[in-house]
Amino acid sequence: AQKITQTQPGMFVQEKEAVTLDCTYDTSDPSYGLFWYKQPSSGEMIFLIYQGSYDQQNATEGRYSLNFQKARKSANLVISASQLGDSAMYFCAMREVIPNSGYALNFGKGTSLLVTP
Amino acid sequence: ETGVTQTPRHLVMGMTNKKSLKCEQHLGHNAMYWYKQSAKKPLELMFVYSLEERVENNSVPSRFSPECPNSSHLFLHLHTLQPEDSALYLCASSQEGQGGYEQYFGPGTRLTVT
């Protein structure tokens, strides 16, 4: 069953505006981690931001912030002051435990963001 | 070199060929991963190595064979692939036991099977 849901296949935003990319998740673990990655056309997955399930405050990293609503099981990414270089695929991911081992990331299908001049 | 590197960046191979993908991480991490990214599909975890031991293979066909000789290097050996194996193969590393276990990815190898 899909554990990470990104309902927006594509989004447009004008340069210098803010944009919110949606992510909902499903887990029964009390301890989990949520991540956002950016994938430009070059293919590399770039780590943006992390939110732990026990973190009291929403994570922020520069122009990126994570709107974490635990009761709703949502972890939306907010990009402020969009730049043309922000055009890329954005993936939400959740850390999952591999029994008797370590961890892996379970990714959503991604949202394609296009920033227009 | 910094971060995670992968070679080759592009690979075209026939179904009867044998090739290998290489990944090297320069971050001092203790876990490495292979992911497959097909068009319009989420990333699929293929293999996990933690402390150089394979801990997860996620039901990957045997035509994919991983190798982790040390904590910095990871290989994916390919043989008798199928056209549906054409995809972007991403390597990642992380430090287990610290922080959020965020994974850092290489640029990927874009594989085309003809």
Side-chain angles (χ1 to χ4, degrees), chain A residues 55-67:
Chain A
D55 293 342
Q56 295 296 313
Q57 293 187 326
N58 287 343
T60 60
E61 288 288 347
R63 294 186 297 111
Y64 304 108
S65 61
L66 202 152
N67 184 0

Side-chain angles (χ1 to χ4, degrees), chain A residues 2-3 14 23 27-28 31 35 38 45-46 48-49 52 60-61 64 72 74 77 89 99 102-103 110 113:
Chain A
Q2 189 171 350
K3 298 180 180 180
Q14 202 160 18
C23 173
T27 182
S28 56
S31 175
F35 305 79
K38 171 185 178 182
M45 296 285 281
I46 302 167
L48 296 178
I49 196 166
T60 60
E61 288 288 347
Y64 304 108
R72 291 187 175 183
S74 74
L77 177 71
M89 284 291 293
Y103 301 86
L113 176 66

Side-chain angles (χ1 to χ4, degrees), chain B residues 8-10 25 29 34 38 41 45-46 50 54-56 62 69-70 72 76 78 81 85-86 89 94 99 104 114:
Chain B
R9 293 294 308 275
H10 300 272
Q25 60 98 359
H29 288 166
W34 279 116
S38 304
K41 291 177 69 175
L45 177 66
M46 299 178 71
S50 176
R54 187 168 77 185
V55 296
E56 171 74 15
S62 60
N70 56 60
S72 300
L76 187 62
L78 316 171
L81 294 191
D85 296 323
S86 298
Y89 289 83
S94 69
Y104 292 88
T114 61

Side-chain angles (χ1 to χ4, degrees), chain B residues 38-87:
Chain B
S38 304
K40 299 184 180 180
K41 291 177 69 175
L43 267 74
E44 302 171 65
L45 177 66
M46 299 178 71
F47 299 102
V48 178
Y49 275 84
S50 176
L51 300 174
E52 300 164 40
E53 287 190 18
R54 187 168 77 185
V55 296
E56 171 74 15
N57 75 351
N58 234 23
S59 303
V60 177
S62 60
R63 57 186 183 267
F64 295 92
S65 174
E67 178 189 1
C68 186
N70 56 60
S71 60
S72 300
H73 294 86
L74 184 65
F75 294 90
L76 187 62
H77 304 300
L78 316 171
H79 65 98
T80 59
L81 294 191
Q82 304 299 310
E84 60 264 29
D85 296 323
S86 298

Side-chain angles (χ1 to χ4, degrees), chain B residues 2-42:
Chain B
T2 59
V4 182
T5 58
Q6 288 186 245
T7 55
R9 293 294 308 275
H10 300 272
L11 178 62
V12 179
M13 60 185 289
M15 289 189 284
T16 59
N17 291 159
K18 288 185 180 181
K19 296 286 184 183
S20 295
L21 309 185
K22 179 183 176 182
C23 175
E24 185 172 0
Q25 60 98 359
H26 309 268
L27 301 169
H29 288 166
N30 58 13
M32 297 186 76
Y33 312 79
W34 279 116
Y35 287 88
K36 176 185 178 182
Q37 187 177 29
S38 304
K40 299 184 180 180
K41 291 177 69 175

Side-chain angles (χ1 to χ4, degrees), chain A residues 2 33 35 37 39 41-47 50 89 91 95-96 98-110, chain B residues 4 9 33 35 37 40-43 45 48 50 55-56 88 90 94 96-97 99-108 110:
Chain A
Q2 189 171 350
F35 305 79
Y37 283 84
Q39 187 178 39
S41 57
S42 59
E44 184 175 359
M45 296 285 281
I46 302 167
F47 166 69
Y50 164 77
M89 284 291 293
F91 292 92
R95 183 182 70 222
E96 61 178 350
I98 302 172
N100 301 317
S101 308
Y103 301 86
L105 293 181
N106 194 318
F107 285 83
K109 291 185 176 181
Chain B
V4 182
R9 293 294 308 275
Y33 312 79
Y35 287 88
Q37 187 177 29
K40 299 184 180 180
K41 291 177 69 175
L43 267 74
L45 177 66
V48 178
S50 176
V55 296
E56 171 74 15
L88 181 67
L90 290 161
S94 69
E96 293 186 5
Y101 305 89
E102 55 266 24
Q103 296 181 11
Y104 292 88
F105 286 78
R110 190 163 295 281

Side-chain angles (χ1 to χ4, degrees), chain A residues 8 11 19-20 22 41 48-49 65 70 83 93 99 101 109:
Chain A
Q8 306 154 314
M11 290 282 287
V19 63
T20 298
D22 295 341
S41 57
L48 296 178
I49 196 166
S65 61
K70 197 170 182 177
Q83 301 172 357
S101 308
K109 291 185 176 181

